[in-house]
Amino acid sequence: MSTTPPVLAAELAQAWADIQRHHPELPDLAAPESLIGESSSACGAELSFERLLHEAVHGIAAARGVRDTSRAGRYHNRRFLAIAEEMGLDHPEEPHASSGFSLVTLNPEAKRRYRPTMERLQRALKAHTVATAADTKRSFRGPAARHGSSGGGVRVKAVCDCGRNVRVVPSVLAQAPIVCGGCGKPFRIPETVGAAS
């Protein structure tokens, strides 16, 4: 199995499509690679199928026009929980004081339904972790990694040769290339005019 980020992005897209088969109102995932290396204390720090399903809850909420979070997206309310339960996610009885019902877990039925998807994604995630951890001394990971941050931070515009753009945390882009689905070239952060001065 290839360990390149495009393979992981493809596996993320396939897992998302598997979720869409059971929940057709779920919008398409615009940039699967944007989830690679991304973390949030409110949504769980590690990319996994459970985290992907959590993000799908937000996707369905957006499609329905439901406001499922507050406090700048950190607090997951009961509307989030209602959609999460529809999708096979459970939560302990009481909400967390700062993140609400964000820490959801797969129920047994969802584990059975998505077992092949989870196994495939887990293999791709493991291969990606091995590939990106191999050269940590020579790779620039940005200020978030140096200061022990969870990987969040200010997103900047990254562009590809065909003119498409995405917003990304620079340290995430530094970990591995994010490849455009339109032209197949990597996104890059354009140099600013004053940067060379």
Side-chain angles (χ1 to χ4, degrees):
M1 165 185 276
S2 172
T3 59
T4 60
V7 171
L8 179 54
E11 288 297 341
L12 286 165
Q14 181 59 52
W16 192 265
D18 290 349
I19 298 168
Q20 284 179 310
R21 274 198 294 281
H22 297 282
H23 304 279
E25 69 183 308
L26 178 63
D28 291 340
L29 183 60
E33 57 276 358
S34 68
L35 293 171
I36 301 169
E38 191 66 25
S39 66
S40 163
S41 59
C43 300
E46 191 174 300
L47 182 57
S48 65
F49 182 77
E50 202 164 73
R51 163 94 189 283
L52 194 65
L53 200 56
H54 173 121
E55 295 302 327
V57 173
H58 291 303
I60 287 181
R64 293 178 182 175
V66 172
R67 186 169 177 200
D68 62 341
T69 64
S70 60
R71 301 180 197 164
R74 289 185 308 273
Y75 191 87
H76 294 61
N77 60 34
R78 290 191 184 279
R79 291 181 290 267
F80 170 85
L81 181 59
I83 297 170
E85 288 172 345
E86 287 177 35
M87 298 184 71
L89 293 166
D90 290 332
H91 187 275
E93 276 185 44
E94 296 300 315
H96 186 273
S98 62
S99 62
F101 296 100
S102 69
L103 300 176
V104 288
T105 57
L106 286 164
N107 68 27
E109 181 184 335
K111 284 180 184 176
R112 281 190 298 278
R113 176 186 309 141
Y114 294 114
R115 182 178 317 274
T117 303
M118 290 188 298
E119 289 171 353
R120 207 175 52 243
L121 183 58
Q122 189 57 42
R123 283 192 301 271
L125 286 166
K126 185 176 180 181
H128 175 72
T129 300
V130 168
T132 56
D135 191 18
T136 55
K137 289 186 180 178
R138 293 182 41 90
S139 299
F140 174 73
R141 296 194 54 221
R146 287 196 311 272
H147 300 293
S149 170
S150 65
V154 177
R155 287 175 167 73
V156 297
K157 183 172 160 182
V159 297
C160 70
D161 288 345
C162 71
R164 295 178 73 211
N165 66 71
V166 295
R167 292 273 178 192
V168 63
V169 177
S171 61
V172 171
L173 190 60
Q175 290 174 16
I178 297 174
V179 179
C180 175
C183 69
K185 303 247 172 106
F187 284 95
R188 59 183 165 61
I189 298 171
E191 292 189 30
T192 58
V193 176
S197 306

